[in-house]
Amino acid sequence: MGNNASYHATADNAIAISSFHVSCKSDKPKSYWSGDNLAGVVLYSKNGKTEWTCNGVKCRSGYIILKTSKNVSHITVYDGSAVHGKVYKSVFGSDPDSSIVRGGFARVNGVWKYNSWSCNAAGNGYTDGKKQMNSIEENAIKTAIQKWISNGTQNTYPSSTIYINPN
């Protein structure tokens, strides 16, 4: 479901993620389970590259941005998203385009939701068209965010490399 995440590459152009990095441009909540509503995106590639710079921000596969929803509500985007495009634009200053392979998630009223039509179901060649995030991807992001909130760890390394495979 969502991005085609697996512990095995199924093609030469599979995107390998050996770590997840929570951006210093993220809004850090006090608790994983309660507080303001949050929205987040995880970036995997842009224009087929797994390391890139966009408007002065260096990124690599597994780059996570987490924002308090009220802090991005004023941003206007034209990518068809309700909130995930706003999270992206808050950091990069431009709307996300179809060259970006990304996943979207949010915390709404204390409940984490790993759903996004604009990210997880995007027609970018790496998703299955469903809004629900793949469970491998979801668990890795949960772990990264929990570690960041609890002890400030920005980099989390999954036990095995995760691959986002093309359709």
Side-chain angles (χ1 to χ4, degrees), residues 78-92:
Y78 301 97
D79 71 331
S81 69
V83 71
H84 297 111
K86 294 176 180 192
V87 170
Y88 181 91
K89 191 172 187 176
S90 73
V91 171
F92 299 105

Side-chain angles (χ1 to χ4, degrees), residues 5-167:
S6 172
Y7 290 115
H8 304 285
T10 61
D12 290 340
N13 59 340
I15 302 166
I17 302 100
S18 57
S19 68
F20 289 85
H21 174 81
V22 180
S23 171
C24 62
K25 297 183 180 294
S26 293
D27 296 337
K28 189 172 182 182
K30 292 179 182 172
S31 167
Y32 180 80
W33 294 110
S34 63
D36 291 333
N37 289 341
L38 304 168
V41 294
V42 57
L43 307 178
Y44 296 115
S45 72
K46 180 176 172 68
N47 294 319
K49 296 180 181 177
T50 57
E51 292 185 26
W52 69 96
T53 300
C54 182
N55 293 334
V57 180
K58 288 186 176 185
C59 298
R60 63 182 166 148
S61 298
Y63 189 84
I64 298 171
I65 306 163
L66 187 64
K67 292 286 187 173
T68 303
S69 298
K70 67 183 177 188
N71 290 350
V72 297
S73 64
H74 67 282
I75 297 172
T76 302
V77 292
Y78 301 97
D79 71 331
S81 69
V83 71
H84 297 111
K86 294 176 180 192
V87 170
Y88 181 91
K89 191 172 187 176
S90 73
V91 171
F92 299 105
S94 61
D95 286 15
D97 61 42
S98 61
S99 75
I100 302 166
V101 178
R102 60 193 171 126
F105 55 95
R107 182 178 74 190
V108 180
N109 299 324
V111 178
W112 285 92
K113 299 180 179 199
Y114 292 83
N115 299 316
S116 172
W117 285 111
S118 64
C119 298
N120 305 341
N124 58 23
Y126 285 85
T127 68
D128 61 7
K130 296 180 179 144
K131 72 176 184 172
Q132 177 65 38
M133 188 177 277
N134 174 293
S135 63
I136 293 171
E137 183 183 10
E138 178 182 331
N139 289 331
I141 292 166
K142 278 182 190 177
T143 299
I145 293 171
Q146 285 174 337
K147 286 183 176 184
W148 178 64
I149 291 171
S150 67
N151 63 25
T153 301
Q154 282 184 276
N155 295 308
T156 300
Y157 301 89
S159 57
S160 297
T161 298
I162 296 171
Y163 296 91
I164 305 297
N165 290 298
N167 296 342

